[in-house]
C-alpha cells in the first residue's frame, strides 16, 4: 500500500475507510499471493479454474433442487439462464447460495424448522427476505454439502401434508 502524510483529517478518515473497505482486513501479502495464484491459474485459456467451480456449484444446485422436487413443503428459486461475460455465452445458473422457501403457512419460521433438522443456513430476515426463507450455502466442502443433502432428503421424506 505505502504511506502518505495527510494534513486534512476529513481526507484521512475517507482514505482510511476506503483502504479498510477495500482490503477488508486481508493482509497485503495474502492478497499478492492470491493474485499470483490467479495469474498462474489463468495462464493460457484459464478456463479450467472457472469450469471446475461452475460445474461443481451448478451440479450441487441441481442435486438440491432434485432432492426438493417431491416436497410440498419446501422449494428453491428457479433461475433462468443468463449471459455470462466470462464464457461469453448464455449459461445455466450456478449460484453460490440457494434460497430455500418454506411454502406452508404454518412453517413461517423456516430457519427454526431447518435448524431443528440439523440444517445450517442463514435466516432470510438477515437479508430482508422474510422468515419464510433460508439461505443455504452451496460452496462448503463436499462432505458438508453431502450432509446437507442427506438432511434435506430426510426432512422431505418425513413431511406431512
Amino acid at each position: 500500500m505505502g504511506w502518505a502524510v495527510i494534513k486534512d483529517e476529513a481526507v484521512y478518515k475517507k482514505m482510511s475507510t476506503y483502504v479498510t473497505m477495500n482490503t477488508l482486513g486481508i493482509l497485503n501479502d495474502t492478497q499478492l499471493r492470491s493474485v499470483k495464484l490467479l495469474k498462474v491459474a489463468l495462464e493460457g485459456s484459464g478456463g479450467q479454474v472457472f469450469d471446475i467451480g461452475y460445474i461443481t456449484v451448478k451440479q450441487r444446485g441441481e442435486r438440491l433442487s432434485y432432492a426438493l422436487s417431491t416436497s410440498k413443503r419446501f422449494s428453491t428459486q428457479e433461475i433462468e439462464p443468463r449471459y455470462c461475460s466470462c464464457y461469453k455465452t448464455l449459461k445455466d445458473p450456478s449460484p453460490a447460495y440457494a434460497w430455500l422457501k418454506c411454502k406452508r403457512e404454518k412453517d413461517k419460521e423456516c430457519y427454526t424448522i431447518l435448524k431443528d433438522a440439523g440444517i445450517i443456513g442463514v435466516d432470510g430476515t438477515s437479508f430482508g427476505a422474510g422468515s419464510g426463507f433460508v439461505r443455504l450455502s452451496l460452496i462448503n466442502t463436499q462432505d458438508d454439502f453431502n450432509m446437507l443433502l442427506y438432511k434435506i432428503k430426510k426432512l422431505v421424506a418425513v413431511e406431512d401434508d
Side-chain angles (χ1 to χ4, degrees), residues 39-74:
K39 283 181 181 178
V40 169
L42 294 175
E43 286 178 358
S45 69
Q48 301 87 348
V49 165
F50 297 109
D51 290 342
I52 292 167
Y54 172 78
I55 291 166
T56 300
V57 177
K58 180 179 178 287
Q59 288 174 344
R60 288 180 178 187
E62 290 169 349
R63 290 176 64 198
L64 179 63
S65 292
Y66 182 76
L68 292 166
S69 64
T70 61
S71 177
K72 294 183 174 108
R73 188 176 182 190
F74 307 104

Side-chain angles (χ1 to χ4, degrees), residues 68 71-77 99-103 133:
L68 292 166
S71 177
K72 294 183 174 108
R73 188 176 182 190
F74 307 104
S75 66
T76 56
Q77 82 278 21
W99 283 97
L100 186 132
K101 177 182 180 182
C102 287
K103 299 192 288 187
F133 297 89

Side-chain angles (χ1 to χ4, degrees), residues 35-140:
V35 168
K36 177 65 177 168
L37 284 171
L38 281 172
K39 283 181 181 178
V40 169
L42 294 175
E43 286 178 358
S45 69
Q48 301 87 348
V49 165
F50 297 109
D51 290 342
I52 292 167
Y54 172 78
I55 291 166
T56 300
V57 177
K58 180 179 178 287
Q59 288 174 344
R60 288 180 178 187
E62 290 169 349
R63 290 176 64 198
L64 179 63
S65 292
Y66 182 76
L68 292 166
S69 64
T70 61
S71 177
K72 294 183 174 108
R73 188 176 182 190
F74 307 104
S75 66
T76 56
Q77 82 278 21
E78 292 188 28
I79 305 172
E80 295 297 318
R82 293 189 181 161
Y83 180 79
C84 174
S85 58
C86 177
Y87 289 99
K88 300 193 181 347
T89 186
L90 202 64
K91 296 292 273 184
D92 287 326
S94 63
Y97 302 97
W99 283 97
L100 186 132
K101 177 182 180 182
C102 287
K103 299 192 288 187
R104 298 189 310 190
E105 188 64 33
K106 66 181 182 177
D107 292 337
K108 289 183 180 180
E109 298 298 324
C110 198
Y111 174 78
T112 303
I113 292 164
L114 296 182
K115 183 179 175 190
D116 290 346
I119 298 170
I120 299 169
V122 181
D123 192 344
T125 59
S126 298
F127 303 96
S131 62
F133 297 89
V134 173
R135 188 180 84 164
L136 302 174
S137 177
L138 302 180
I139 55 174
N140 289 334

Side-chain angles (χ1 to χ4, degrees), residues 1 19-35:
M1 290 291 248
V19 169
T20 301
M21 296 302 286
N22 282 295
T23 60
L24 293 174
I26 299 170
L27 298 174
N28 290 338
D29 60 326
T30 303
Q31 292 177 17
L32 293 173
R33 268 183 275 175
S34 298
V35 168

